Amino acid sequence: MTSLTSVTLEVDDLAAADRFYTAAFSLGPQVRLRACDTATKGFRGFTMSITVSQPADVDSFIGSALEAGATTLKPAAKSLWGYGGVVQAPDGTIWKLATSAKKNTGPAIRKIDDLVLLLGAEDVKASKQFYVERGLTVAKSFGGKYVEFASDESGPVKLALYKRRGLAKDVGVPEEGDGSHRVVLGGTSGAFTDPDGFAWEPATVTSPSA
């Protein structure tokens, strides 16, 4: 099964980004950093999502991100599905912190349950078929709105497709944007680019920057 093993964020200031992610999330080897100066403007078409077990952990991660220099896009709040908020890192990457729980069962432990990369797709059904043809297995599918692919031990990052307009609305930003996505996906298959311009490269075992 083809899977997503790492996400490389392309940033203007590598040292500053390394300091931010170490202080904010301590994500480990599945998130890497790479210096890049290609032009990008507005919504980059993707978001990163961290899911945790309780609201205290959402608050803890959002707090450390803000202290490290992130800005708030959506303050943490309760909703029908749980509790969560959205911040934007200094490098421009949008991060959603969320839990399905509405009450705490103890103090924050800062344990990440799932790390998810959501790609904004203009045509979710077409992008879904593209990925299925390249060996990814669908775990969940909701018509032309959302698709989540299965992951295994070799793929510590979950991959999902979301209608681009809906994804931008979910994190509280305008959908307009152009230029580089400033993200590269590392996988267990070869190099390719999907219908929405997201680039994949073969996974490496080199030490990550974050």
Side-chain angles (χ1 to χ4, degrees):
M1 182 178 72
T2 299
S3 60
L4 176 63
T5 60
S6 66
V7 176
T8 298
L9 302 176
E10 297 184 329
V11 301
D12 291 318
D13 188 328
L14 188 59
D18 183 61
R19 288 193 299 271
F20 170 80
Y21 285 108
T22 299
F25 305 135
S26 299
L27 294 168
Q30 63 267 47
V31 175
R32 307 175 179 199
L33 303 174
R34 178 185 299 167
C36 178
D37 59 3
T38 54
T40 186
K41 181 180 179 181
F43 182 45
R44 296 180 185 176
F46 78 95
T47 66
M48 298 293 297
S49 179
I50 293 175
T51 59
V52 295
S53 62
Q54 60 178 347
D57 292 289
V58 170
D59 291 336
S60 178
F61 279 121
I62 288 180
S64 60
L66 294 177
E67 288 179 4
T71 56
T72 300
L73 294 180
K74 280 191 173 182
K78 289 183 180 179
S79 67
L80 292 175
W81 51 263
Y83 182 83
V86 183
V87 299
Q88 188 166 29
D91 66 89
T93 303
I94 295 173
W95 291 84
K96 183 175 183 178
L97 296 302
T99 177
S100 60
K102 295 184 180 181
K103 294 183 178 180
N104 292 316
T105 57
I109 58 173
R110 293 180 64 86
K111 178 181 179 294
I112 296 173
D113 293 335
D114 287 305
L115 180 63
V116 185
L117 171 63
L118 293 101
L119 303 182
E122 293 296 341
D123 186 332
V124 173
K125 290 183 178 180
S127 293
K128 169 187 171 182
Q129 184 60 34
F130 175 89
Y131 278 113
V132 168
E133 291 174 356
R134 278 152 185 79
L136 278 79
T137 301
V138 174
K140 299 177 183 179
S141 181
F142 299 94
K145 294 183 178 180
Y146 178 83
V147 175
E148 184 177 301
F149 296 100
S151 59
D152 56 20
E153 292 182 358
S154 67
V157 186
K158 288 187 176 181
L159 176 66
L161 305 175
Y162 203 147
K163 188 73 173 177
R164 180 187 169 95
R165 179 179 299 177
L167 182 58
K169 182 179 179 180
D170 182 58
V171 296
V173 298
E175 67 173 300
E176 292 78 19
D178 54 35
S180 173
H181 291 300
R182 290 284 191 98
V183 66
V184 179
L185 291 67
T188 56
S189 59
F192 60 88
T193 301
D194 81 358
D196 296 286
F198 291 100
W200 285 67
E201 63 185 18
T204 64
V205 294
T206 56
S207 298
S209 296

Coordinates of all heavy atoms in Angstrom, one line a residue, residues 22-62:
T22 N 9.9 23.4 17.0 CA 10.5 22.8 18.2 C 9.7 23.3 19.4 O 9.3 22.5 20.3 CB 12.0 23.0 18.3 OG1 12.7 22.5 17.2 CG2 12.5 22.4 19.6
A23 N 9.5 24.6 19.5 CA 8.8 25.2 20.7 C 7.3 24.9 20.7 O 6.7 24.7 21.7 CB 9.1 26.7 20.7
A24 N 6.7 24.9 19.5 CA 5.3 24.9 19.4 C 4.7 23.5 19.5 O 3.8 23.2 20.3 CB 4.8 25.5 18.1
F25 N 5.3 22.5 18.7 CA 4.6 21.2 18.6 C 5.5 20.0 18.9 O 5.1 18.9 19.2 CB 4.0 21.1 17.2 CG 3.1 22.1 16.8 CD1 3.1 22.7 15.6 CD2 2.1 22.6 17.7 CE1 2.2 23.7 15.2 CE2 1.2 23.6 17.3 CZ 1.2 24.1 16.1
S26 N 6.8 20.1 18.6 CA 7.8 19.0 18.8 C 7.3 17.8 18.0 O 7.0 16.7 18.6 CB 8.0 18.7 20.3 OG 8.6 19.7 21.0
L27 N 7.1 17.9 16.7 CA 6.4 17.0 15.9 C 7.2 15.7 15.6 O 6.7 14.7 15.3 CB 6.0 17.6 14.6 CG 5.0 18.7 14.7 CD1 4.8 19.5 13.4 CD2 3.6 18.1 15.1
G28 N 8.5 15.8 15.5 CA 9.3 14.6 15.2 C 9.6 14.4 13.7 O 9.4 15.4 13.0
P29 N 10.1 13.3 13.3 CA 10.6 13.1 12.0 C 9.6 13.1 10.8 O 10.0 13.2 9.7 CB 11.3 11.7 12.0 CG 10.5 11.0 13.1 CD 10.2 12.0 14.1
Q30 N 8.3 13.1 11.1 CA 7.3 13.1 10.1 C 7.1 14.5 9.4 O 6.6 14.6 8.3 CB 6.0 12.5 10.5 CG 5.3 13.3 11.6 CD 5.6 12.8 13.0 OE1 6.8 12.6 13.3 NE2 4.6 12.6 13.8
V31 N 7.5 15.5 10.1 CA 7.5 16.9 9.5 C 8.9 17.4 9.4 O 9.6 17.5 10.4 CB 6.6 17.8 10.4 CG1 6.6 19.2 9.9 CG2 5.2 17.3 10.5
R32 N 9.2 17.8 8.2 CA 10.5 18.3 7.9 C 10.5 19.7 7.3 O 9.4 20.2 6.9 CB 11.2 17.3 6.8 CG 11.1 15.9 7.3 CD 11.7 14.9 6.3 NE 11.6 13.6 6.8 CZ 12.3 12.5 6.4 NH1 13.1 12.7 5.3 NH2 12.2 11.4 6.9
L33 N 11.6 20.4 7.3 CA 11.7 21.7 6.8 C 12.7 21.8 5.7 O 13.7 21.1 5.7 CB 12.0 22.7 8.0 CG 11.1 22.7 9.2 CD1 11.7 23.6 10.3 CD2 9.7 23.2 8.8
R34 N 12.5 22.7 4.8 CA 13.4 22.9 3.6 C 13.4 24.4 3.3 O 12.3 25.0 3.1 CB 13.0 22.1 2.5 CG 13.8 22.2 1.2 CD 13.3 21.4 0.1 NE 13.2 20.0 0.4 CZ 12.5 19.1 -0.3 NH1 11.8 19.5 -1.4 NH2 12.5 17.8 0.0
A35 N 14.5 25.0 3.1 CA 14.6 26.4 2.7 C 14.1 26.6 1.3 O 14.4 25.7 0.4 CB 16.0 26.9 2.8
C36 N 13.3 27.6 1.0 CA 12.7 27.8 -0.3 C 12.3 29.3 -0.4 O 11.8 29.9 0.6 CB 11.5 26.9 -0.5 SG 10.6 27.1 -2.0
D37 N 12.5 29.9 -1.6 CA 12.1 31.2 -1.8 C 11.1 31.4 -3.0 O 11.0 32.5 -3.5 CB 13.3 32.2 -1.9 CG 14.2 31.8 -3.1 OD1 13.8 30.8 -3.9 OD2 15.2 32.4 -3.3
T38 N 10.5 30.3 -3.4 CA 9.5 30.4 -4.5 C 8.3 31.2 -4.1 O 7.9 31.2 -2.9 CB 9.1 29.0 -5.0 OG1 8.6 28.3 -3.8 CG2 10.2 28.3 -5.6
A39 N 7.7 31.9 -5.0 CA 6.6 32.9 -4.7 C 5.4 32.1 -4.3 O 5.0 31.1 -4.8 CB 6.3 33.7 -5.9
T40 N 4.7 32.6 -3.3 CA 3.4 32.1 -2.9 C 2.5 33.2 -2.3 O 3.1 34.2 -1.7 CB 3.5 31.0 -1.8 OG1 2.3 30.4 -1.5 CG2 4.1 31.5 -0.5
K41 N 1.2 33.2 -2.6 CA 0.4 34.3 -2.2 C -1.0 33.7 -1.7 O -1.6 32.9 -2.4 CB 0.2 35.3 -3.3 CG -0.7 36.5 -3.0 CD -0.8 37.4 -4.2 CE -1.7 38.6 -3.9 NZ -1.8 39.5 -5.0
G42 N -1.5 34.2 -0.6 CA -2.8 33.8 -0.1 C -2.8 32.4 0.4 O -1.8 31.8 0.8
F43 N -4.0 31.7 0.2 CA -4.2 30.4 0.7 C -3.4 29.4 -0.1 O -3.5 29.4 -1.4 CB -5.7 30.0 0.6 CG -6.0 28.6 1.1 CD1 -5.5 28.2 2.3 CD2 -6.9 27.8 0.4 CE1 -5.8 26.9 2.8 CE2 -7.2 26.6 0.9 CZ -6.7 26.1 2.1
R44 N -2.6 28.6 0.5 CA -1.7 27.7 -0.2 C -2.4 26.4 -0.6 O -1.7 25.5 -1.2 CB -0.4 27.4 0.7 CG 0.4 28.6 0.9 CD 1.6 28.3 1.7 NE 2.4 29.5 2.1 CZ 3.4 29.6 2.8 NH1 3.9 28.4 3.4 NH2 4.0 30.7 3.1
G45 N -3.6 26.2 -0.2 CA -4.4 25.0 -0.7 C -4.2 23.8 0.2 O -4.7 22.7 -0.1
F46 N -3.6 23.9 1.4 CA -3.5 22.8 2.3 C -3.5 23.3 3.7 O -3.2 24.4 4.0 CB -2.2 22.0 2.0 CG -1.0 22.6 2.6 CD1 -0.5 22.2 3.8 CD2 -0.3 23.5 1.9 CE1 0.7 22.7 4.3 CE2 0.9 24.1 2.4 CZ 1.4 23.7 3.6
T47 N -3.8 22.4 4.6 CA -3.7 22.6 6.0 C -3.1 21.4 6.7 O -3.2 20.3 6.2 CB -5.0 23.0 6.7 OG1 -5.9 21.9 6.7 CG2 -5.7 24.2 6.0
M48 N -2.5 21.6 7.9 CA -2.1 20.5 8.7 C -3.0 20.5 9.9 O -3.4 21.5 10.5 CB -0.6 20.7 9.2 CG 0.4 20.8 8.1 SD 0.6 19.2 7.3 CE 1.2 18.2 8.6
S49 N -3.3 19.3 10.4 CA -4.2 19.1 11.5 C -3.6 18.2 12.5 O -3.1 17.1 12.2 CB -5.6 18.5 11.0 OG -6.5 18.3 12.1
I50 N -3.7 18.6 13.8 CA -3.2 17.8 14.9 C -4.4 17.4 15.7 O -5.2 18.3 16.2 CB -2.2 18.5 15.8 CG1 -0.9 18.7 15.0 CG2 -1.9 17.8 17.1 CD1 0.1 19.6 15.8
T51 N -4.7 16.1 15.9 CA -5.8 15.7 16.8 C -5.3 15.2 18.1 O -4.3 14.5 18.1 CB -6.7 14.7 16.1 OG1 -6.0 13.5 15.7 CG2 -7.3 15.3 14.8
V52 N -5.9 15.5 19.2 CA -5.5 15.1 20.5 C -6.7 14.6 21.3 O -7.8 14.5 20.7 CB -4.9 16.3 21.3 CG1 -3.6 16.8 20.6 CG2 -5.9 17.5 21.3
S53 N -6.5 14.2 22.5 CA -7.5 13.4 23.3 C -8.5 14.3 24.0 O -9.6 13.9 24.4 CB -6.9 12.4 24.2 OG -6.1 13.1 25.2
Q54 N -8.1 15.6 24.3 CA -8.9 16.4 25.2 C -8.7 17.9 25.0 O -7.6 18.3 24.4 CB -8.7 16.0 26.6 CG -7.3 16.3 27.1 CD -7.1 15.9 28.6 OE1 -8.1 15.8 29.3 NE2 -5.9 15.8 29.0
P55 N -9.6 18.8 25.4 CA -9.4 20.2 25.2 C -8.2 20.8 25.8 O -7.6 21.7 25.3 CB -10.7 20.8 25.8 CG -11.7 19.7 25.7 CD -11.0 18.4 25.9
A56 N -7.8 20.2 27.0 CA -6.6 20.8 27.6 C -5.3 20.7 26.7 O -4.5 21.6 26.7 CB -6.3 20.0 28.9
D57 N -5.3 19.6 25.9 CA -4.1 19.5 25.0 C -4.2 20.4 23.8 O -3.2 21.0 23.3 CB -4.0 18.0 24.5 CG -3.7 17.1 25.6 OD1 -2.5 17.1 26.1 OD2 -4.5 16.3 26.1
V58 N -5.5 20.7 23.3 CA -5.6 21.7 22.3 C -5.1 23.0 22.8 O -4.4 23.7 22.1 CB -7.1 21.8 21.9 CG1 -7.4 23.0 21.0 CG2 -7.6 20.5 21.2
D59 N -5.6 23.4 24.0 CA -5.2 24.7 24.6 C -3.7 24.8 24.8 O -3.0 25.8 24.6 CB -5.9 24.9 25.9 CG -7.4 25.2 25.7 OD1 -7.8 25.6 24.7 OD2 -8.1 24.9 26.7
S60 N -3.1 23.7 25.2 CA -1.6 23.6 25.5 C -0.8 23.9 24.2 O 0.1 24.7 24.1 CB -1.2 22.3 26.1 OG 0.2 22.3 26.3
F61 N -1.2 23.2 23.1 CA -0.5 23.3 21.8 C -0.7 24.7 21.2 O 0.2 25.3 20.7 CB -0.9 22.2 20.9 CG -0.3 20.9 21.1 CD1 -1.0 19.7 21.3 CD2 1.1 20.8 21.0 CE1 -0.4 18.5 21.5 CE2 1.8 19.6 21.2 CZ 1.0 18.4 21.5
I62 N -2.0 25.2 21.3 CA -2.2 26.5 20.7 C -1.5 27.5 21.5 O -0.9 28.5 21.0 CB -3.7 26.8 20.8 CG1 -4.5 26.0 19.7 CG2 -4.0 28.3 20.5 CD1 -6.0 26.2 19.6

